[in-house]
Amino acid sequence: MTGKPGRTARGGAQASAGDLLDLVRSGRAVTRGALQQMTGLSRATVGQRLDRLFRAGWLREGAGGPVDSPLGGRPSITLEFDGSHAVVLAADLDTRHARAALLTLTGEILAERAGALVIEDGPEAVLAELGGWFAGLLTETGRPPEAVCAIGLGVPGPVDSETGRVVQPPMMSGWDGYDIRGRLSRAFTEHTGAGPVPVLVDNDANLMAYGEQRTGYQDCRAFVLVKVSTGIGAGVVVDGAIYRGVDGGAGDLGHIRVGTEALCRCGSYGCLAAVASGGAVARRLTDAGVPAASGSDVRDLLAAGHPEAAALAREAGRRVGDVLATVVTLLNPGVLMIAGDLAGTPFLTGVRELLYQRALPRSTAHLDVVTAKLGERAGLIGAGALVVEHLYAPERVEERLSALGV
C-alpha cells in the first residue's frame, strides 16, 4: 500500500512532515537529499520534520542507496515507511456471508476469517458479531488491540463517504442511515477492551476495485470492476482514487432498467439485477428443477460444470455486456474487470459478445476485459489500502503527530 502516484508536495516552508512522508511512501523521494530537492526545504528543516516521523515510529532507515556525486563518497541512506508500527482490521460483508482480516499497513494479510453472517439480521447483530471476529483475529496473531490504527468495512449498498452511512440500500433492510462507524467502533471496544478506533465504510464493489487496481493495475488511469453476485454493482477508480459520485451512488449498475417486467428486490420492475445477477440466475435454475438459493450456489454449480448453470450465466453475461457497452463508451477505461459469484468463463463470454458488438471500436481498442485476480480477498485488501491512504494523507499526518505529542 504505497502512497498514491501523482501528488505534488508543497514546496518551501509549506511542505509538512506529512508531505515528506507522502513522498517517501510513494517512492518519489527516498533520501534526505531527494526530499530537499523535491520540496526546497533546507537540510535542517527536512531533518526536523523527519525526526517527528521517526519518533512516531512511522519511518525507518533502509539500506544505503547509490552515490549521487560523480566524485564518490558515502552512499545516501534511504528512508522507508515502517509498516510494522500498527495493523488494520478489515471486513467485507455480503448478503449472507462475510470475511474479516487483520492486515499490515503494507497490505499483507496476517489472519483471516470467513463465515455465515446474514445482512438482514440487522446492523446491531451483524456489527456486534464482527467485533467478536476482530477480537479473535488479534488473539490468533498475538497482536494487542492497541496496535489497531483503524477499521475498514465494505457493505453491499451505496455509502455516503462523508458520514459512513448507507443510503437507501436495496439489499440491506434496516441499515438505511444507521451509524455503522459508531456501532462497529463500540463493538471493537466491547470485545477487546481497547479504546475507540476510526472506522471507514465504503461500498463493497468500490473496495474490490480499489484493491485490484492498487495491487495489479496501478498504471491504469481508468479502472472499472463489476461485481456480479446476489446483486450487481461496479467500482470505478480514476487517477488512483475511487469515484463515488455526489453521495456514494456511483456504480449502481444493477438498477439500470433493461426493458423487462421482472420484479427487482428494490421494488421496481425491469432492473438489470432482476434478470442478470447471481440471485436471478439462482431463481431460474430453481424454477428449472436445479435447486440454488443464491449466487454462491450458482458459483458452485458453474465450478462443477453444470450445463444449465453455464447457459444461464452466459445469457446473464450478455445482458450485463449490453449495459457495459454504455459504461465503456462513457468512461473509456483501460481495464474492465468482472468479479463475484458469476465471474467465470460462461459469464465473461456473454459479456464480451455483447460488449464488443454494441460498443464503438474506438472505446474498446485499448480495453482489457479480465476476471478478478485477488478473488474473495479483493475487498479486504481494498479496505486496508483505503484506511492507510486516509490515515497517512499529509493533512491527517499533522493532526495525528500532534495528538501523539511529537
Side-chain angles (χ1 to χ4, degrees):
M1 297 180 191
T2 58
K4 292 181 185 177
R7 282 191 187 133
T8 302
R10 293 173 292 177
Q14 291 185 346
S16 67
D19 291 315
L20 300 190
L21 181 64
D22 186 58
L23 288 169
V24 173
R25 290 186 60 238
S26 67
R28 286 175 291 151
V30 296
T31 65
R32 289 169 173 82
L35 289 171
Q36 287 176 242
Q37 279 190 317
M38 289 285 289
T39 63
L41 295 174
S42 69
R43 180 177 180 180
T45 302
V46 166
Q48 290 168 358
R49 294 182 182 173
L50 289 178
D51 183 58
R52 297 178 69 199
L53 298 170
F54 281 116
R55 282 186 284 146
W58 298 355
L59 273 189
R60 65 187 175 199
E61 291 186 342
V67 177
D68 295 330
S69 171
L71 301 177
R74 297 174 61 185
S76 301
I77 299 298
T78 58
L79 302 169
E80 299 174 350
F81 178 64
D82 189 346
S84 67
H85 69 269
V87 290
V88 174
L89 284 165
D92 187 12
L93 295 179
D94 210 327
T95 53
R96 304 191 64 81
H97 66 275
R99 304 184 76 86
L102 183 70
L103 301 94
T104 67
L105 298 181
T106 52
E108 177 189 356
I109 292 180
L110 300 173
E112 188 175 2
R113 175 172 176 175
L117 206 54
V118 180
I119 205 86
E120 290 186 351
D121 287 345
E124 286 286 340
V126 170
L127 298 176
E129 182 72 13
L130 271 185
W133 287 20
F134 289 157
L137 292 170
L138 289 166
T139 299
E140 179 182 338
T141 57
R143 300 293 179 111
E146 293 74 21
V148 176
C149 61
I151 297 170
L153 176 67
V155 297
V159 177
D160 183 336
S161 60
E162 293 297 317
T163 65
R165 299 171 188 251
V166 291
V167 182
Q168 300 177 2
M171 296 190 299
M172 300 178 68
S173 178
W175 290 73
D176 188 18
Y178 184 84
D179 181 17
I180 297 174
R181 288 176 178 172
R183 180 65 186 100
L184 189 52
S185 182
R186 290 195 303 275
F188 172 77
T189 296
E190 290 163 4
H191 285 277
T192 65
V197 295
V199 176
L200 272 67
V201 185
D202 212 322
N203 172 261
D204 56 353
N206 284 348
L207 294 180
M208 291 175 69
Y210 199 55
E212 293 278 7
Q213 190 271 340
R214 295 296 304 282
T215 302
Y217 299 90
Q218 287 200 37
D219 293 334
C220 181
R221 295 184 58 193
F223 178 97
V224 176
L225 177 142
V226 179
K227 179 186 178 184
V228 187
S229 291
T230 302
I232 302 174
V236 179
V237 181
V238 177
D239 288 337
I242 296 172
Y243 178 75
R244 300 181 177 88
V246 295
D247 63 2
D252 205 357
L253 295 183
H255 301 286
I256 291 175
R257 304 296 173 84
V258 292
T260 75
E261 295 302 315
L263 177 63
C264 182
R265 292 181 62 166
C266 72
S268 297
Y269 289 88
C271 293
L272 180 64
V275 293
S277 65
V281 173
R283 287 190 295 275
R284 292 190 63 184
L285 283 169
T286 300
D287 291 343
V290 182
S294 65
S296 59
D297 290 339
V298 178
R299 179 189 60 205
D300 294 340
L301 289 167
L302 290 171
H306 193 283
E308 184 73 9
L312 289 175
R314 182 169 178 170
E315 181 183 335
R318 287 171 59 84
R319 288 185 177 273
V320 173
D322 196 9
V323 171
L324 290 177
T326 301
V327 173
V328 165
T329 301
L330 179 66
L331 297 179
N332 188 211
V335 174
L336 173 63
M337 178 175 283
I338 307 298
D341 292 330
L342 298 192
T345 299
F347 185 87
L348 190 64
T349 299
V351 167
R352 285 176 167 153
E353 285 174 359
L354 263 289
L355 172 64
Y356 288 108
Q357 178 183 326
R358 298 292 170 83
L360 291 172
R362 172 68 183 83
S363 301
T364 57
H366 300 99
L367 175 68
D368 289 330
V369 182
V370 300
T371 53
K373 303 293 190 295
L374 299 177
E376 294 182 333
R377 289 180 162 183
L380 298 174
I381 292 172
L386 191 69
V387 162
V388 172
E389 291 302 332
H390 174 80
L391 289 181
Y392 295 95
E395 64 277 9
R396 207 155 285 107
V397 163
E398 289 303 307
E399 298 171 7
R400 296 179 64 210
L401 289 174
S402 296
L404 290 171
V406 299

